[in-house]
Amino acid sequence: MSATLPLITALRELVPITRLGAAVSATTSREADGVARALGIPVGLELPDDPAAARVLSDGCAHSLKPHHSALARASRMAARRLHVRLNPPPPPNTTVTSGVVEEGAA
């Protein structure tokens, strides 16, 4: 975890703290909160503790586990979808986009 502190320090200079959050893999919310305290940023995403899948995904080790079926992969996919929707909300009704310019009430 200490290896991430310089990165977090650099990110704090570039990104408002309200836009930062740690992705934490932990067995309990209490553990995730402890990581957030140690890093000095809030938990933005809590993932299940799944060491076998994490090993396959990070090290590429040969294992019979199919990482895309693991709890870690499923939770990651769902969280990525939620984040995508939050950061890219659909345009309001009666809005068109022409040449990259949003025009309200154009329909």
Side-chain angles (χ1 to χ4, degrees):
M1 190 167 25
S2 62
T4 63
L5 293 177
L7 176 61
I8 290 171
T9 300
L11 284 172
R12 279 189 182 148
E13 294 174 9
L14 300 170
V15 180
I17 191 69
T18 57
R19 303 278 298 172
L20 284 178
V24 178
S25 179
T27 54
T28 66
S29 292
R30 178 177 242 157
E31 284 182 6
D33 291 342
V35 171
R37 277 192 302 280
L39 295 176
I41 60 174
V43 172
L45 171 61
E46 192 173 327
L47 297 169
D49 185 35
D50 190 347
R55 239 184 332 275
V56 172
L57 293 170
S58 71
D59 302 337
C61 61
H63 193 277
S64 62
L65 174 74
K66 293 182 178 166
H68 57 279
H69 291 296
S70 69
L72 178 59
R74 285 191 309 271
S76 297
R77 276 193 303 274
M78 288 189 325
R81 285 185 191 119
R82 282 193 307 268
L83 182 61
H84 176 77
V85 168
R86 194 168 101 208
L87 295 177
N88 301 288
N94 298 324
T95 302
T96 60
V97 178
T98 307
S99 300
V101 177
V102 176
E103 299 172 8
E104 293 189 37

